Amino acid sequence: MTQAANTTVTQTRERKRFSVREIAIEYAVLILLGAVIVALAILSPSFFTFGNIVNILNQNAPLVIIASAGTFVIVSGNFDLSTGAIYGVAGVVSAWLAVSTGNVVLALAAAPVVGVVLGSFNGIVITKLRVHSFLATLASSMIFTTIAVLITGGSLITVTTPGFTALGRDRIGGVFIAVFVMIIIAAAFWLLLSRTVFGRHVYAVGGNDEAAELSGINVTRTRVFVFMLSGLAAGTAAAIGVSRIASGQPLSGAGLELSAIAAVILGGTSIYGGVGAVWRSIAGVFLIALIGNGFDLLDLNPQLKDMVTGFIILAAVGLAAAGRNRR
C-alpha cells in the first residue's frame, strides 16, 4: 500500500472516530434515556406495563409543556424563574372562577389567559426596563406568589363543580386527556421553534442579539413573545394541575421552574442561548422522570434519587461543554 493510500485510510479512520464522538455528544440525552429504559426493562417487569407508561406520561404532562416553552426562553438567551409562580396564580384563579361561576370551561380557559398576561408582564419588564431576565423573573415570581396567596387568603380553594376534573383525570382509550393535550402542545412548540421564521428569530436573538437587530429582527418583540409563550405554557399546565387535584393551591407550582430548567439544560440546550430544541427538553423531562420511576419500581433509597439525578445532569452538561469547546 502506498504512503498516499495509508494517509487516506488514516484520515478516514479519524473522520469515523470524530463522527462517532460527535454523534455521542449530540444525542447524549437520547443515549442516556435509552440506557435507562433498557436497564429498567431488564430489572423491573413492572416497567413496560401500559399502566406504568401512561402514569409516567400523565404525571409529567405539565412539566413537559412548561419545559417545551422554556426551551424558547433559554434559546433566546434568557431565564424564566417565574413559571412556578405563574402556575400557582393561574391555578387559583381557575379554581376561584369554577367555585364562583360554576362555569367549568370559563374557569379552565382562564388559566392560560392568566399565564399569557403574566408572561407579557415579564417580557415588558425585561425589555423596557432592561433588567436581566434572571433577576426580573425572580422578583416577579415573588409578586405572583403573593397575588396567589391574596386570592386564596392563604388557604386552599376546593372545587366540587361537576366536570372540573375531566381535563386532569378523565381518559380516552385508557390514556389521560392531559397526555393528548401535552402531545399537541409539545408538537406545536416544536414546529414553532424549528419550522418557522419566528423560531429562526429566537435562535438569532439568543446567538447574538446585536447582530440580530442589525439584520432587521425586532429583538424586543421576539423576547416579549418568548415570555408570553412561557406564561401560556405555565397557565395551560396549571389548568391540567388544578383539574387533577380539584383545588387551587397558591404554592402548587413551587419548584416547577427549576425542574423545567434542569430538563432543558439536561437535554443539551445551551444556557448561553442560540442552541437547543424542544425535543431535547422533552427527552430531558422523561430522563429525570424515569430515574424517579426506577427508584420507585426497584425500591431504592429515595434519598439518593436527587444525588443520582444531579450527577446525570452534570455529566450531560459536561458532555455538551466538551463538544462546544472542541468546535
Side-chain angles (χ1 to χ4, degrees), residues 1 16 22 31 45 64 78 85 172 175 178 191 196 261 273 284 287 298-299 317 319-320:
M1 187 178 291
K16 285 182 177 177
E22 285 295 302
I31 294 170
V64 166
N78 293 279
I172 299 175
V175 179
L191 285 171
T196 67
I261 290 172
L287 178 55
L298 302 176
D299 198 23
V317 174
L319 261 177

Side-chain angles (χ1 to χ4, degrees), residues 165-298:
T165 58
L167 178 62
R169 297 181 185 177
D170 284 5
R171 305 185 188 214
I172 299 175
V175 179
F176 290 95
I177 293 174
V179 175
F180 294 110
V181 174
M182 173 194 74
I183 293 171
I184 292 169
I185 293 178
F189 280 140
W190 172 73
L191 285 171
L192 185 61
L193 185 60
S194 62
R195 295 288 187 273
T196 67
V197 173
F198 171 73
R200 290 197 291 276
H201 288 181
V202 174
Y203 281 109
V205 169
N208 187 326
D209 56 354
E210 291 183 5
E213 194 154 17
L214 289 173
S215 65
I217 295 173
N218 189 325
V219 174
T220 297
R221 188 169 59 193
T222 302
R223 284 195 172 129
V224 170
F225 198 69
V226 160
F227 279 96
M228 285 174 62
L229 285 178
S230 183
L232 172 66
T236 306
I240 294 173
V242 73
S243 172
R244 183 181 296 165
I245 62 176
S247 67
Q249 303 177 16
L251 302 179
S252 57
L256 263 179
E257 67 283 353
L258 296 180
S259 298
I261 290 172
V264 173
I265 301 302
L266 179 58
T269 294
S270 172
I271 59 173
Y272 303 104
V275 176
V278 170
W279 69 263
R280 291 181 170 280
S281 304
I282 296 172
V285 169
F286 285 113
L287 178 55
I288 295 173
L290 291 188
I291 292 170
N293 187 243
F295 268 78
D296 293 337
L297 292 177
L298 302 176

